[in-house]
Amino acid sequence: MSKIQYFIESYGCQMNDHDSEKIAGMLQKMGYDRAKNKFDADIIIFNTCCVREHAELRVFGNVGALKKLKDENPELINAVCGCMMQQQEVAKKLFKRFPYVNIVFGTHCLDKLPDMITQARLGNRVISTEDGNEIIEGLPIIRQNKYQTSVTIMYGCDNYCTYCIVPYVRGHERSRDPENIIAEVEGLVKDGYKEITLLGQNVNSYNGRNGEVDFPKLLHMVADTGIERIRFMTSHPKDLSPKLIEAMASIDAVCNHIHLPVQSGSDRILSRMNRKYSSSDYLKLVSELRNAVKGIEITTDIIVGFPTETDEDFNDTLNIVKAAYFAAAYTFMYSPRAGTPAAKMAGQIPQNIKSERLKILNEYQASTLQNGNLKYIGTTGNVLVEGCDTRSECKQAFGKLSNFKMVYFPGDESLIGKTVNVEIISAKNNSLIGTEVKA
Ligand code: 5AD
Ligand code: SF4
């Protein structure tokens, strides 16, 4: 008899992708196999996101499209999980509206999936959206990549930025025990992994063993495992301590890149967002980082059109983009999320103004980078090769420098997963072109 096949589709952030790896781990342990596509699958799982409305709408559309597959194969089990399903009202709505969805479950009961599948195979429909704050250790993980991967160090968020739904769906901050994190990283080193990203909604407030191990200390412990590269995300500016900057500067394995969401350049908007820093606090951090960590590149997240944002506030955002000089900015239109304070604020900004500001911001950010990559010409650095573009006549290997810059250079598939020393010979706006330096 052929094995039961599963298909997982992930929406949203790296945390969700990583949860999907745990779901895959549990399913493989049950003896199931990954399907090549939805159409071959016996179980389809959508792992959803609810950070912005756009992601939600996509899920509703895609779940609607499952009806046809269920009609063709009545045995098919459809499951929807993730952040969106941790919102009880939304989960109930989806469960009611789509009778061909067999299982709906939130982020806090990932480990119950095998039981829920057993129930569904007996013909029952299951919905589980309870809150839960304990950390589930020891779930099997099927990692998508063989040399670069993520390790969760903490769950949840206590910051309650007024626009953000995450604290409501991911719960309070809980830090994993450092021993469990180190054991996981040691296992990865043994398996040949070269780069890990330490994941959490706000990694700088990591608080292991009830305060004994803070994030800088954890970085030292992780580096001691011998892993080649350490990245982390996401960092909140309010918790970016001098001790962390010092750790970034002194630990070789820690990459010289930080993702540090600024969200806005207007002090008035930052305060309404409950971000707990001012634009000058942020710029001070940028300059401390640049002074201490050689060659660091900074990336960010920015929201435009937060309630009451005026042209002047938006102009302050453009000014901070210019002053901070971000290597990349992930930019979003403010999207009201039911249950968050900002959704109820007066002064919601019309859609056309939000789109216009987003366009202006994106063009402005791109203009600050023009010719900015030229400074890399003639420098050399290590690239961890992620893939190979075979479309051009001469195959191009590509991967990132420690500072997160993407580099292309002539090379084939055999280099994937290897660290290659590359000299940069030319620069584009969003990437660098190099050539391998043979030892
Ligand atoms: N609307 C728009 N963007 C949002 N983000 C979080 N919540 C919202 C929202 N309601 C953005 C922030 C955050 C990133 C992950 O998503 O910029 O840093
Ligand atoms: Fe959301 Fe703010 Fe927490 Fe980030 S720090 S997850 S934006 S509440």
Side-chain angles (χ1 to χ4, degrees), residues 147-384:
Y147 44 91
Q148 255 177 339
T149 191
S150 307
V151 174
T152 307
I153 62 164
M154 60 185 298
Y155 298 88
C157 180
D158 289 340
N159 289 316
Y160 291 92
C161 301
T162 55
Y163 51 82
C164 185
I165 193 78
V166 168
Y168 306 91
V169 293
R170 289 276 179 180
H172 279 298
E173 283 180 4
R174 288 99 66 205
S175 296
R176 279 181 78 194
D177 257 353
E179 287 69 25
N180 291 334
I181 297 171
I182 297 307
E184 186 173 335
V185 179
E186 279 170 351
L188 294 170
V189 172
K190 221 181 268 162
D191 289 344
Y193 280 87
K194 301 230 161 140
E195 180 181 298
I196 53 161
T197 302
L198 304 176
L199 282 187
Q201 252 76 38
N202 176 13
V203 288
N204 322 141
S205 62
Y206 175 80
N207 186 27
R209 236 189 276 128
N210 287 325
E212 261 177 62
V213 179
D214 60 8
F215 186 56
K217 177 130 189 243
L218 182 72
L219 282 179
H220 281 281
M221 292 166 74
V222 171
D224 287 343
T225 63
I227 188 87
E228 195 174 302
R229 275 184 175 184
I230 306 169
R231 300 189 185 279
F232 53 88
M233 76 181 297
T234 291
S235 300
H236 194 304
K238 80 170 169 49
D239 298 313
L240 186 70
S241 62
K243 199 171 157 196
L244 175 56
I245 297 179
E246 206 281 317
M248 289 186 75
S250 64
I251 305 173
D252 283 347
V254 174
C255 290
N256 51 1
H257 165 239
I258 189 165
H259 185 64
L260 194 64
V262 64
Q263 311 295 5
S264 169
S266 152
D267 290 343
R268 197 181 67 81
I269 296 292
L270 285 171
S271 150
R272 289 174 66 89
M273 286 175 161
N274 191 29
R275 291 290 290 177
K276 301 191 179 83
Y277 54 85
S278 65
S279 54
S280 59
D281 294 336
Y282 187 92
L283 287 175
K284 188 160 167 270
L285 286 176
V286 167
S287 93
E288 285 167 5
L289 282 162
R290 293 204 193 280
N291 287 337
V293 188
K294 208 168 138 257
I296 192 169
E297 289 285 5
I298 301 170
T299 55
T300 200
D301 291 343
I302 301 173
I303 297 175
V304 297
F306 185 82
T308 76
E309 186 186 71
T310 61
D311 283 341
E312 203 184 338
D313 293 319
F314 176 61
N315 215 33
D316 288 343
T317 296
L318 296 181
N319 287 338
I320 208 162
V321 162
K322 185 163 188 194
Y325 192 69
F326 298 114
Y330 302 88
T331 55
F332 311 101
M333 285 186 268
Y334 168 68
S335 167
R337 306 284 64 213
T340 62
K344 294 194 278 293
M345 286 179 188
Q348 299 287 327
I349 303 297
Q351 186 62 27
N352 61 332
I353 298 187
K354 285 190 210 171
S355 327
E356 195 181 301
R357 287 185 184 158
L358 188 70
K359 188 164 166 270
I360 296 171
L361 173 61
N362 288 341
E363 283 168 9
Y364 191 74
Q365 157 68 12
S367 76
T368 65
L369 293 182
Q370 230 144 50
N371 300 332
N373 279 339
L374 292 179
K375 65 174 177 284
Y376 287 104
I377 295 176
T379 64
T380 55
N382 286 335
V383 172
L384 177 54

